[in-house]
Amino acid sequence: MALLTLAEAKAQLDIDTDAHDAELLAYVEAVTPVIEQFTGPVENRTVTEQVNSRSNLLALSQAPVVSLTSLTPVLTGGQAVDVGDLAVDSAAGVVRRLDGGSFAGGPWTAVYVAGRGTVSPTINLAARIMVQHLWRTQYGAARGMVGGGDDVSVTEPIAGWGYAVPYRVLQLLEPFKAPPGVA
């Protein structure tokens, strides 16, 4: 599952030849981490990490969470927890025991799939627009693009994002914004 395919980027840019595929693929691949910095993981990936808890909750670092694969204590001799006995708040990346118990005996090694399961059409559109915005740098002054064109002037940077991410992309991604402390 790709956030954006080469074919989708070519369609957005009205490119019908293969002449720029290698270069355009670099743009397509560069868009994913920028989008995911704002939304958290979109493309599904397996994550293995150590987590600690002093309560009955474990907070995974990458949300949303598609599924929890395993939860085992790091220390030898500890008992793995059956993932069927756990509830995962997918959006927040928080794991809790269904029996109300705590996560004693940690730290724990959590293996899970982070991402969204499917790419929302809105996130895909934001990625298409971002590739289009970045691809415009190919034109330079020849097409009147000095100073930012119609996206935003380089003298008006977006707080925390700079000029690479136009307002329209941020507005499309707003409903998918990662919770604080995630992404």
Side-chain angles (χ1 to χ4, degrees), residues 2-6 9 21-36 43 45 127 130-131 134-135:
L3 185 139
L4 179 67
T5 66
L6 178 61
D21 281 7
E23 184 178 12
L24 184 54
L25 189 55
Y27 283 71
V28 168
E29 290 172 356
V31 165
T32 298
V34 175
I35 298 282
E36 289 184 342
E43 294 181 358
R45 65 189 56 115
M130 183 139 170
V131 164
L134 295 173
W135 190 254

Side-chain angles (χ1 to χ4, degrees), residues 5-97:
T5 66
L6 178 61
E8 290 168 334
K10 289 171 75 169
Q12 181 72 20
L13 298 169
D14 293 324
I15 296 175
D16 55 6
T17 71
D18 298 335
H20 302 289
D21 281 7
E23 184 178 12
L24 184 54
L25 189 55
Y27 283 71
V28 168
E29 290 172 356
V31 165
T32 298
V34 175
I35 298 282
E36 289 184 342
Q37 182 180 2
F38 191 75
T39 64
V42 175
E43 294 181 358
N44 290 354
R45 65 189 56 115
T46 299
V47 177
T48 301
E49 68 179 350
Q50 284 190 19
V51 291
N52 291 300
S53 174
R54 294 188 180 149
S55 69
N56 61 341
L57 302 174
L58 284 175
L60 304 174
S61 68
Q62 297 188 44
V65 174
V66 175
S67 63
L68 180 64
T69 307
S70 66
L71 187 62
T72 55
V74 172
L75 303 175
T76 57
Q79 187 74 339
V81 178
D82 183 346
V83 295
D85 295 334
L86 303 171
V88 179
D89 178 334
S90 295
V94 174
V95 181
R96 69 174 175 83
R97 295 179 69 123

Side-chain angles (χ1 to χ4, degrees), residues 73-128:
V74 172
L75 303 175
T76 57
Q79 187 74 339
V81 178
D82 183 346
V83 295
D85 295 334
L86 303 171
V88 179
D89 178 334
S90 295
V94 174
V95 181
R96 69 174 175 83
R97 295 179 69 123
L98 292 174
D99 65 6
S102 68
F103 289 102
W108 298 86
T109 299
V111 179
Y112 60 99
V113 176
R116 296 189 177 267
T118 60
V119 177
S120 154
T122 305
I123 293 175
N124 178 269
L125 177 60
R128 288 175 187 238

Side-chain angles (χ1 to χ4, degrees), residues 99-182:
D99 65 6
S102 68
F103 289 102
W108 298 86
T109 299
V111 179
Y112 60 99
V113 176
R116 296 189 177 267
T118 60
V119 177
S120 154
T122 305
I123 293 175
N124 178 269
L125 177 60
R128 288 175 187 238
I129 292 170
M130 183 139 170
V131 164
Q132 184 176 23
H133 171 76
L134 295 173
W135 190 254
R136 292 171 70 188
T137 62
Q138 300 289 48
Y139 303 140
R143 297 218 183 151
M145 301 312 294
V146 174
D150 65 353
D151 286 329
V152 66
S153 171
V154 293
T155 62
E156 300 174 25
I158 300 167
W161 291 94
Y163 181 61
V165 183
Y167 287 128
R168 64 183 64 129
V169 170
L170 293 175
Q171 288 171 338
L172 285 168
L173 296 177
E174 185 64 30
F176 304 95
K177 196 177 196 177
V182 176

